[in-house]
Amino acid sequence: ASVSLVALGAATHGFNMNQRFLELPITDRGAGTLQVTTPANPNLAPPGFYLLFILDADGVPSVAKVVNLQ
């Protein structure tokens, strides 16, 4: 039903300044495949490592995969 990215934590002094949650629009669905689009503005998703989740219609997430946006 949806795809999201969650930035890996970068906690320092008890405060995580790198918190990000991005819902990615699904642009195409195929047999066992999804195509999504990352934000065009690099300020919304700066380069780095993220957890990629696919959620079903009930909002249950998959086991995350770590992806590197460059």
Short mmCIF file of all heavy atoms in Angstrom, two decimals:
data_model
loop_
_atom_site.label_atom_id
_atom_site.label_comp_id
_atom_site.label_asym_id
_atom_site.label_seq_id
_atom_site.Cartn_x
_atom_site.Cartn_y
_atom_site.Cartn_z
N ALA A 1 0.82 -1.20 0.00
CA ALA A 1 0.00 0.00 0.00
C ALA A 1 0.87 1.26 0.00
O ALA A 1 0.49 2.25 -0.61
CB ALA A 1 -0.94 -0.01 1.20
N SER A 2 2.03 1.22 0.69
CA SER A 2 2.89 2.40 0.71
C SER A 2 4.34 2.00 0.96
O SER A 2 4.62 0.88 1.39
CB SER A 2 2.43 3.40 1.79
OG SER A 2 2.55 2.85 3.06
N VAL A 3 5.23 2.94 0.68
CA VAL A 3 6.67 2.73 0.86
C VAL A 3 7.20 3.94 1.62
O VAL A 3 6.81 5.08 1.34
CB VAL A 3 7.39 2.60 -0.51
CG1 VAL A 3 8.88 2.45 -0.33
CG2 VAL A 3 6.82 1.44 -1.31
N SER A 4 8.08 3.70 2.59
CA SER A 4 8.64 4.81 3.34
C SER A 4 10.13 4.61 3.60
O SER A 4 10.63 3.49 3.59
CB SER A 4 7.90 5.00 4.67
OG SER A 4 8.05 3.86 5.47
N LEU A 5 10.79 5.74 3.81
CA LEU A 5 12.20 5.76 4.20
C LEU A 5 12.30 6.38 5.58
O LEU A 5 11.63 7.38 5.86
CB LEU A 5 13.03 6.62 3.24
CG LEU A 5 13.33 6.08 1.86
CD1 LEU A 5 14.05 7.15 1.04
CD2 LEU A 5 14.17 4.83 1.94
N VAL A 6 13.15 5.81 6.42
CA VAL A 6 13.43 6.36 7.74
C VAL A 6 14.94 6.47 7.84
O VAL A 6 15.66 5.48 7.67
CB VAL A 6 12.88 5.44 8.86
CG1 VAL A 6 13.22 6.02 10.22
CG2 VAL A 6 11.38 5.23 8.71
N ALA A 7 15.41 7.69 8.10
CA ALA A 7 16.86 7.90 8.21
C ALA A 7 17.40 7.18 9.43
O ALA A 7 16.75 7.13 10.48
CB ALA A 7 17.17 9.39 8.31
N LEU A 8 18.60 6.61 9.30
CA LEU A 8 19.25 5.99 10.44
C LEU A 8 19.58 7.07 11.46
O LEU A 8 19.88 8.21 11.10
CB LEU A 8 20.52 5.25 10.00
CG LEU A 8 20.31 4.06 9.08
CD1 LEU A 8 21.64 3.41 8.74
CD2 LEU A 8 19.39 3.03 9.70
N GLY A 9 19.53 6.72 12.71
CA GLY A 9 19.75 7.68 13.79
C GLY A 9 21.15 8.22 13.85
O GLY A 9 22.12 7.56 13.49
N ALA A 10 21.25 9.44 14.32
CA ALA A 10 22.54 10.09 14.55
C ALA A 10 22.44 10.85 15.86
O ALA A 10 22.48 12.06 15.90
CB ALA A 10 22.89 11.02 13.40
N ALA A 11 22.23 10.13 16.95
CA ALA A 11 22.01 10.77 18.25
C ALA A 11 23.31 11.33 18.81
O ALA A 11 24.35 10.71 18.74
CB ALA A 11 21.41 9.77 19.23
N THR A 12 23.19 12.51 19.35
CA THR A 12 24.32 13.12 20.01
C THR A 12 23.78 13.91 21.20
O THR A 12 22.82 14.65 21.07
CB THR A 12 25.09 14.00 19.01
OG1 THR A 12 26.46 13.96 19.29
CG2 THR A 12 24.69 15.41 18.98
N HIS A 13 24.32 13.70 22.34
CA HIS A 13 23.88 14.38 23.56
C HIS A 13 22.38 14.17 23.82
O HIS A 13 21.69 15.07 24.28
CB HIS A 13 24.21 15.87 23.52
CG HIS A 13 25.66 16.15 23.32
ND1 HIS A 13 26.60 15.86 24.28
CD2 HIS A 13 26.34 16.65 22.27
CE1 HIS A 13 27.79 16.21 23.84
NE2 HIS A 13 27.66 16.67 22.61
N GLY A 14 21.87 13.00 23.46
CA GLY A 14 20.47 12.67 23.73
C GLY A 14 19.48 13.29 22.78
O GLY A 14 18.28 13.26 23.02
N PHE A 15 19.94 13.87 21.68
CA PHE A 15 19.04 14.50 20.71
C PHE A 15 19.41 14.02 19.31
O PHE A 15 20.56 14.12 18.92
CB PHE A 15 19.14 16.02 20.79
CG PHE A 15 18.19 16.74 19.89
CD1 PHE A 15 16.84 16.79 20.20
CD2 PHE A 15 18.63 17.36 18.74
CE1 PHE A 15 15.95 17.45 19.36
CE2 PHE A 15 17.76 18.02 17.90
CZ PHE A 15 16.41 18.07 18.22
N ASN A 16 18.43 13.51 18.58
CA ASN A 16 18.69 13.01 17.23
C ASN A 16 18.34 14.09 16.22
O ASN A 16 17.18 14.31 15.89
CB ASN A 16 17.86 11.75 16.97
CG ASN A 16 18.20 11.11 15.64
OD1 ASN A 16 18.98 11.64 14.85
ND2 ASN A 16 17.61 9.98 15.36
N MET A 17 19.36 14.76 15.69
CA MET A 17 19.14 15.85 14.74
C MET A 17 18.92 15.34 13.32
O MET A 17 18.65 16.12 12.42
CB MET A 17 20.33 16.81 14.76
CG MET A 17 20.49 17.48 16.11
SD MET A 17 21.92 18.56 16.22
CE MET A 17 21.71 19.64 14.83
N ASN A 18 19.03 14.03 13.10
CA ASN A 18 18.92 13.48 11.76
C ASN A 18 17.60 12.73 11.55
O ASN A 18 17.48 11.96 10.62
CB ASN A 18 20.10 12.54 11.49
CG ASN A 18 20.26 12.22 10.03
OD1 ASN A 18 20.04 13.08 9.19
ND2 ASN A 18 20.64 11.01 9.71
N GLN A 19 16.61 12.94 12.40
CA GLN A 19 15.35 12.21 12.27
C GLN A 19 14.65 12.62 10.98
O GLN A 19 14.48 13.80 10.71
CB GLN A 19 14.44 12.48 13.45
CG GLN A 19 14.92 11.84 14.71
CD GLN A 19 13.99 12.13 15.87
OE1 GLN A 19 13.31 13.14 15.90
NE2 GLN A 19 13.97 11.24 16.82
N ARG A 20 14.26 11.60 10.19
CA ARG A 20 13.51 11.85 8.96
C ARG A 20 12.61 10.67 8.70
O ARG A 20 12.99 9.52 8.86
CB ARG A 20 14.45 12.00 7.76
CG ARG A 20 15.24 13.26 7.79
CD ARG A 20 16.04 13.43 6.51
NE ARG A 20 16.97 14.50 6.69
CZ ARG A 20 16.68 15.79 6.52
NH1 ARG A 20 15.49 16.15 6.17
NH2 ARG A 20 17.61 16.70 6.72
N PHE A 21 11.40 10.97 8.27
CA PHE A 21 10.45 9.96 7.81
C PHE A 21 9.89 10.47 6.50
O PHE A 21 9.36 11.57 6.43
CB PHE A 21 9.32 9.74 8.81
CG PHE A 21 8.27 8.80 8.29
CD1 PHE A 21 8.42 7.44 8.45
CD2 PHE A 21 7.16 9.28 7.63
CE1 PHE A 21 7.47 6.56 7.96
CE2 PHE A 21 6.20 8.42 7.13
CZ PHE A 21 6.35 7.06 7.30
N LEU A 22 10.05 9.70 5.44
CA LEU A 22 9.58 10.11 4.12
C LEU A 22 8.69 9.03 3.52
O LEU A 22 9.08 7.87 3.46
CB LEU A 22 10.78 10.33 3.17
CG LEU A 22 11.80 11.35 3.61
CD1 LEU A 22 13.08 11.17 2.83
CD2 LEU A 22 11.25 12.74 3.41
N GLU A 23 7.50 9.42 3.12
CA GLU A 23 6.65 8.49 2.39
C GLU A 23 6.93 8.70 0.90
O GLU A 23 6.88 9.83 0.41
CB GLU A 23 5.18 8.73 2.69
CG GLU A 23 4.32 7.62 2.15
CD GLU A 23 2.92 7.60 2.73
OE1 GLU A 23 2.73 8.12 3.83
OE2 GLU A 23 2.05 7.05 2.06
N LEU A 24 7.26 7.63 0.20
CA LEU A 24 7.62 7.72 -1.21
C LEU A 24 6.42 7.37 -2.08
O LEU A 24 5.77 6.35 -1.85
CB LEU A 24 8.77 6.76 -1.52
CG LEU A 24 10.04 6.94 -0.70
CD1 LEU A 24 11.07 5.90 -1.09
CD2 LEU A 24 10.59 8.34 -0.85
N PRO A 25 6.14 8.18 -3.09
CA PRO A 25 5.03 7.85 -3.99
C PRO A 25 5.37 6.64 -4.85
O PRO A 25 6.47 6.53 -5.39
CB PRO A 25 4.85 9.11 -4.84
CG PRO A 25 6.11 9.89 -4.69
CD PRO A 25 6.76 9.46 -3.42
N ILE A 26 4.41 5.73 -4.95
CA ILE A 26 4.57 4.56 -5.82
C ILE A 26 4.17 4.98 -7.22
O ILE A 26 3.06 5.45 -7.45
CB ILE A 26 3.70 3.38 -5.33
CG1 ILE A 26 4.15 2.96 -3.93
CG2 ILE A 26 3.78 2.21 -6.29
CD1 ILE A 26 3.25 1.94 -3.26
N THR A 27 5.10 4.84 -8.18
CA THR A 27 4.84 5.27 -9.55
C THR A 27 4.48 4.12 -10.48
O THR A 27 3.91 4.34 -11.54
CB THR A 27 6.06 6.02 -10.12
OG1 THR A 27 7.21 5.20 -10.02
CG2 THR A 27 6.29 7.32 -9.35
N ASP A 28 4.83 2.88 -10.09
CA ASP A 28 4.50 1.73 -10.94
C ASP A 28 4.52 0.47 -10.09
O ASP A 28 5.31 0.33 -9.17
CB ASP A 28 5.52 1.60 -12.08
CG ASP A 28 5.09 0.60 -13.14
OD1 ASP A 28 3.87 0.37 -13.30
OD2 ASP A 28 5.98 0.04 -13.81
N ARG A 29 3.59 -0.43 -10.40
CA ARG A 29 3.51 -1.73 -9.72
C ARG A 29 3.57 -2.81 -10.79
O ARG A 29 2.84 -2.76 -11.76
CB ARG A 29 2.21 -1.88 -8.95
CG ARG A 29 2.02 -0.88 -7.85
CD ARG A 29 0.61 -0.99 -7.27
NE ARG A 29 0.30 0.15 -6.45
CZ ARG A 29 0.30 0.14 -5.13
NH1 ARG A 29 0.58 -0.97 -4.49
NH2 ARG A 29 0.03 1.21 -4.45
N GLY A 30 4.45 -3.77 -10.59
CA GLY A 30 4.56 -4.89 -11.52
C GLY A 30 4.38 -6.19 -10.77
O GLY A 30 4.02 -6.22 -9.60
N ALA A 31 4.62 -7.28 -11.46
CA ALA A 31 4.53 -8.60 -10.84
C ALA A 31 5.68 -8.76 -9.85
O ALA A 31 6.81 -9.05 -10.23
CB ALA A 31 4.58 -9.68 -11.90
N GLY A 32 5.42 -8.53 -8.57
CA GLY A 32 6.45 -8.65 -7.55
C GLY A 32 7.42 -7.49 -7.49
O GLY A 32 8.46 -7.59 -6.85
N THR A 33 7.10 -6.36 -8.13
CA THR A 33 7.99 -5.20 -8.11
C THR A 33 7.20 -3.92 -7.83
O THR A 33 6.00 -3.84 -8.11
CB THR A 33 8.73 -5.02 -9.45
OG1 THR A 33 7.78 -4.74 -10.47
CG2 THR A 33 9.54 -6.24 -9.81
N LEU A 34 7.89 -2.95 -7.26
CA LEU A 34 7.35 -1.60 -7.07
C LEU A 34 8.38 -0.61 -7.56
O LEU A 34 9.58 -0.82 -7.39
CB LEU A 34 7.10 -1.31 -5.59
CG LEU A 34 5.95 -1.99 -4.89
CD1 LEU A 34 5.99 -1.66 -3.40
CD2 LEU A 34 4.63 -1.57 -5.48
N GLN A 35 7.91 0.47 -8.14
CA GLN A 35 8.81 1.56 -8.51
C GLN A 35 8.36 2.78 -7.74
O GLN A 35 7.17 3.12 -7.73
CB GLN A 35 8.76 1.84 -10.01
CG GLN A 35 9.74 2.90 -10.45
CD GLN A 35 9.79 3.05 -11.96
OE1 GLN A 35 9.36 2.17 -12.70
NE2 GLN A 35 10.29 4.16 -12.41
N VAL A 36 9.30 3.42 -7.04
CA VAL A 36 9.00 4.60 -6.24
C VAL A 36 9.90 5.75 -6.69
O VAL A 36 10.91 5.54 -7.36
CB VAL A 36 9.19 4.34 -4.74
CG1 VAL A 36 8.22 3.28 -4.25
CG2 VAL A 36 10.61 3.95 -4.41
N THR A 37 9.51 6.96 -6.29
CA THR A 37 10.29 8.14 -6.63
C THR A 37 10.78 8.80 -5.36
O THR A 37 9.99 9.01 -4.43
CB THR A 37 9.43 9.14 -7.43
OG1 THR A 37 8.92 8.50 -8.58
CG2 THR A 37 10.22 10.36 -7.83
N THR A 38 12.07 9.09 -5.29
CA THR A 38 12.61 9.82 -4.15
C THR A 38 12.33 11.31 -4.33
O THR A 38 12.09 11.77 -5.45
CB THR A 38 14.13 9.58 -3.99
OG1 THR A 38 14.77 9.97 -5.20
CG2 THR A 38 14.42 8.13 -3.69
N PRO A 39 12.37 12.08 -3.26
CA PRO A 39 12.12 13.52 -3.38
C PRO A 39 13.14 14.19 -4.32
O PRO A 39 14.32 13.85 -4.29
CB PRO A 39 12.28 14.04 -1.96
CG PRO A 39 12.06 12.87 -1.08
CD PRO A 39 12.55 11.69 -1.86
N ALA A 40 12.65 15.12 -5.13
CA ALA A 40 13.53 15.84 -6.05
C ALA A 40 14.43 16.82 -5.30
O ALA A 40 15.53 17.12 -5.74
CB ALA A 40 12.71 16.59 -7.09
N ASN A 41 13.97 17.30 -4.16
CA ASN A 41 14.73 18.25 -3.36
C ASN A 41 15.68 17.49 -2.44
O ASN A 41 15.23 16.78 -1.53
CB ASN A 41 13.77 19.12 -2.56
CG ASN A 41 14.47 20.18 -1.74
OD1 ASN A 41 15.66 20.11 -1.50
ND2 ASN A 41 13.71 21.17 -1.31
N PRO A 42 17.00 17.61 -2.62
CA PRO A 42 17.94 16.86 -1.78
C PRO A 42 17.92 17.28 -0.31
O PRO A 42 18.44 16.58 0.53
CB PRO A 42 19.29 17.13 -2.42
CG PRO A 42 19.12 18.40 -3.16
CD PRO A 42 17.68 18.44 -3.61
N ASN A 43 17.31 18.43 0.01
CA ASN A 43 17.19 18.83 1.40
C ASN A 43 16.19 17.96 2.16
O ASN A 43 16.25 17.85 3.37
CB ASN A 43 16.78 20.30 1.51
CG ASN A 43 17.87 21.22 1.03
OD1 ASN A 43 19.05 20.96 1.22
ND2 ASN A 43 17.48 22.30 0.38
N LEU A 44 15.25 17.35 1.44
CA LEU A 44 14.27 16.47 2.08
C LEU A 44 14.84 15.10 2.36
O LEU A 44 14.45 14.44 3.32
CB LEU A 44 13.02 16.35 1.21
CG LEU A 44 12.23 17.64 1.00
CD1 LEU A 44 11.08 17.41 0.05
CD2 LEU A 44 11.75 18.19 2.33
N ALA A 45 15.74 14.64 1.50
CA ALA A 45 16.38 13.33 1.67
C ALA A 45 17.86 13.47 1.34
O ALA A 45 18.31 13.09 0.27
CB ALA A 45 15.74 12.28 0.77
N PRO A 46 18.64 14.04 2.27
CA PRO A 46 20.07 14.20 1.99
C PRO A 46 20.75 12.84 1.86
O PRO A 46 20.25 11.83 2.35
CB PRO A 46 20.59 14.97 3.20
CG PRO A 46 19.55 14.90 4.23
CD PRO A 46 18.27 14.56 3.57
N PRO A 47 21.89 12.81 1.18
CA PRO A 47 22.61 11.54 1.01
C PRO A 47 22.89 10.89 2.35
O PRO A 47 23.15 11.55 3.35
CB PRO A 47 23.92 11.97 0.33
CG PRO A 47 23.60 13.25 -0.35
CD PRO A 47 22.58 13.93 0.53
N GLY A 48 22.81 9.57 2.35
CA GLY A 48 23.09 8.82 3.57
C GLY A 48 22.32 7.51 3.58
O GLY A 48 21.71 7.11 2.58
N PHE A 49 22.35 6.86 4.72
CA PHE A 49 21.71 5.55 4.86
C PHE A 49 20.31 5.70 5.45
O PHE A 49 20.10 6.50 6.37
CB PHE A 49 22.57 4.65 5.76
CG PHE A 49 23.85 4.23 5.09
CD1 PHE A 49 25.01 4.93 5.31
CD2 PHE A 49 23.87 3.14 4.24
CE1 PHE A 49 26.19 4.55 4.70
CE2 PHE A 49 25.05 2.76 3.61
CZ PHE A 49 26.21 3.47 3.84
N TYR A 50 19.39 4.91 4.90
CA TYR A 50 17.99 4.93 5.31
C TYR A 50 17.48 3.50 5.43
O TYR A 50 18.00 2.59 4.79
CB TYR A 50 17.13 5.64 4.25
CG TYR A 50 17.38 7.12 4.14
CD1 TYR A 50 18.46 7.61 3.44
CD2 TYR A 50 16.52 8.03 4.73
CE1 TYR A 50 18.70 8.97 3.34
CE2 TYR A 50 16.73 9.39 4.64
CZ TYR A 50 17.82 9.86 3.94
OH TYR A 50 18.05 11.20 3.84
N LEU A 51 16.44 3.32 6.24
CA LEU A 51 15.71 2.06 6.29
C LEU A 51 14.54 2.19 5.33
O LEU A 51 13.78 3.16 5.39
CB LEU A 51 15.19 1.78 7.70
CG LEU A 51 16.25 1.58 8.77
CD1 LEU A 51 15.59 1.48 10.15
CD2 LEU A 51 17.07 0.34 8.48
N LEU A 52 14.39 1.23 4.43
CA LEU A 52 13.31 1.22 3.45
C LEU A 52 12.26 0.21 3.90
O LEU A 52 12.57 -0.97 4.11
CB LEU A 52 13.84 0.84 2.07
CG LEU A 52 12.81 0.68 0.96
CD1 LEU A 52 12.26 2.04 0.57
CD2 LEU A 52 13.42 -0.01 -0.24
N PHE A 53 11.02 0.67 4.10
CA PHE A 53 9.92 -0.18 4.52
C PHE A 53 8.85 -0.20 3.44
O PHE A 53 8.55 0.82 2.82
CB PHE A 53 9.26 0.35 5.79
CG PHE A 53 10.12 0.26 7.01
CD1 PHE A 53 10.89 1.34 7.42
CD2 PHE A 53 10.15 -0.89 7.78
CE1 PHE A 53 11.66 1.28 8.57
CE2 PHE A 53 10.92 -0.97 8.92
CZ PHE A 53 11.68 0.11 9.31
N ILE A 54 8.24 -1.36 3.25
CA ILE A 54 7.04 -1.50 2.42
C ILE A 54 5.92 -1.88 3.38
O ILE A 54 6.06 -2.82 4.16
CB ILE A 54 7.21 -2.57 1.33
CG1 ILE A 54 8.37 -2.18 0.41
CG2 ILE A 54 5.92 -2.75 0.55
CD1 ILE A 54 8.73 -3.24 -0.60
N LEU A 55 4.83 -1.12 3.35
CA LEU A 55 3.71 -1.36 4.25
C LEU A 55 2.54 -1.95 3.48
O LEU A 55 2.26 -1.53 2.35
CB LEU A 55 3.27 -0.06 4.93
CG LEU A 55 4.26 0.48 5.97
CD1 LEU A 55 5.38 1.26 5.32
CD2 LEU A 55 3.55 1.30 6.98
N ASP A 56 1.83 -2.90 4.11
CA ASP A 56 0.66 -3.48 3.46
C ASP A 56 -0.57 -2.60 3.73
O ASP A 56 -0.48 -1.55 4.37
CB ASP A 56 0.44 -4.94 3.88
CG ASP A 56 0.06 -5.11 5.33
OD1 ASP A 56 -0.29 -4.11 6.01
OD2 ASP A 56 0.08 -6.26 5.80
N ALA A 57 -1.72 -3.01 3.25
CA ALA A 57 -2.95 -2.23 3.38
C ALA A 57 -3.35 -2.01 4.83
O ALA A 57 -4.06 -1.05 5.14
CB ALA A 57 -4.07 -2.91 2.60
N ASP A 58 -2.91 -2.88 5.74
CA ASP A 58 -3.21 -2.73 7.16
C ASP A 58 -2.18 -1.88 7.89
O ASP A 58 -2.25 -1.71 9.10
CB ASP A 58 -3.32 -4.10 7.83
CG ASP A 58 -4.50 -4.90 7.32
OD1 ASP A 58 -5.55 -4.29 7.04
OD2 ASP A 58 -4.36 -6.13 7.20
N GLY A 59 -1.16 -1.39 7.17
CA GLY A 59 -0.11 -0.58 7.77
C GLY A 59 0.98 -1.38 8.44
O GLY A 59 1.80 -0.83 9.18
N VAL A 60 1.03 -2.69 8.17
CA VAL A 60 2.06 -3.55 8.76
C VAL A 60 3.33 -3.44 7.90
O VAL A 60 3.28 -3.72 6.70
CB VAL A 60 1.59 -5.01 8.85
CG1 VAL A 60 2.69 -5.90 9.40
CG2 VAL A 60 0.32 -5.12 9.68
N PRO A 61 4.45 -3.03 8.51
CA PRO A 61 5.66 -2.85 7.71
C PRO A 61 6.39 -4.17 7.48
O PRO A 61 6.29 -5.11 8.25
CB PRO A 61 6.51 -1.93 8.58
CG PRO A 61 6.09 -2.24 9.97
CD PRO A 61 4.61 -2.58 9.88
N SER A 62 7.16 -4.18 6.39
CA SER A 62 8.06 -5.29 6.11
C SER A 62 9.27 -5.21 7.01
O SER A 62 9.45 -4.23 7.75
CB SER A 62 8.52 -5.20 4.65
OG SER A 62 9.31 -4.02 4.47
N VAL A 63 10.12 -6.20 6.94
CA VAL A 63 11.44 -6.10 7.56
C VAL A 63 12.21 -5.09 6.71
O VAL A 63 12.22 -5.19 5.48
CB VAL A 63 12.15 -7.47 7.59
CG1 VAL A 63 13.57 -7.32 8.08
CG2 VAL A 63 11.36 -8.45 8.44
N ALA A 64 12.83 -4.14 7.32
CA ALA A 64 13.49 -3.05 6.59
C ALA A 64 14.74 -3.54 5.87
O ALA A 64 15.41 -4.47 6.32
CB ALA A 64 13.86 -1.92 7.53
N LYS A 65 15.04 -2.88 4.78
CA LYS A 65 16.32 -3.04 4.07
C LYS A 65 17.05 -1.71 4.20
O LYS A 65 16.46 -0.64 4.10
CB LYS A 65 16.10 -3.34 2.58
CG LYS A 65 15.45 -4.67 2.32
CD LYS A 65 16.37 -5.79 2.68
CE LYS A 65 15.76 -7.13 2.33
NZ LYS A 65 16.56 -8.24 2.75
N VAL A 66 18.35 -1.76 4.42
CA VAL A 66 19.15 -0.55 4.49
C VAL A 66 19.54 -0.16 3.06
O VAL A 66 20.03 -0.98 2.30
CB VAL A 66 20.42 -0.76 5.35
CG1 VAL A 66 21.30 0.47 5.33
CG2 VAL A 66 20.03 -1.12 6.77
N VAL A 67 19.26 1.10 2.70
CA VAL A 67 19.62 1.62 1.38
C VAL A 67 20.48 2.86 1.57
O VAL A 67 20.40 3.55 2.60
CB VAL A 67 18.36 1.95 0.53
CG1 VAL A 67 17.57 0.71 0.23
CG2 VAL A 67 17.49 2.99 1.20
N ASN A 68 21.32 3.14 0.60
CA ASN A 68 22.20 4.30 0.63
C ASN A 68 21.79 5.24 -0.50
O ASN A 68 21.93 4.90 -1.68
CB ASN A 68 23.65 3.85 0.46
CG ASN A 68 24.64 4.97 0.62
OD1 ASN A 68 24.28 6.10 0.99
ND2 ASN A 68 25.89 4.70 0.36
N LEU A 69 21.29 6.42 -0.15
CA LEU A 69 20.96 7.43 -1.15
C LEU A 69 22.20 8.26 -1.42
O LEU A 69 22.85 8.72 -0.49
CB LEU A 69 19.84 8.34 -0.66
CG LEU A 69 18.48 7.71 -0.38
CD1 LEU A 69 17.48 8.78 0.00
CD2 LEU A 69 17.98 6.93 -1.58
N GLN A 70 22.52 8.42 -2.70
CA GLN A 70 23.70 9.22 -3.06
C GLN A 70 23.32 10.32 -4.02
O GLN A 70 22.43 10.26 -4.76
CB GLN A 70 24.76 8.33 -3.70
CG GLN A 70 25.25 7.32 -2.73
CD GLN A 70 26.36 6.46 -3.32
OE1 GLN A 70 26.63 6.48 -4.51
NE2 GLN A 70 27.01 5.70 -2.47
#
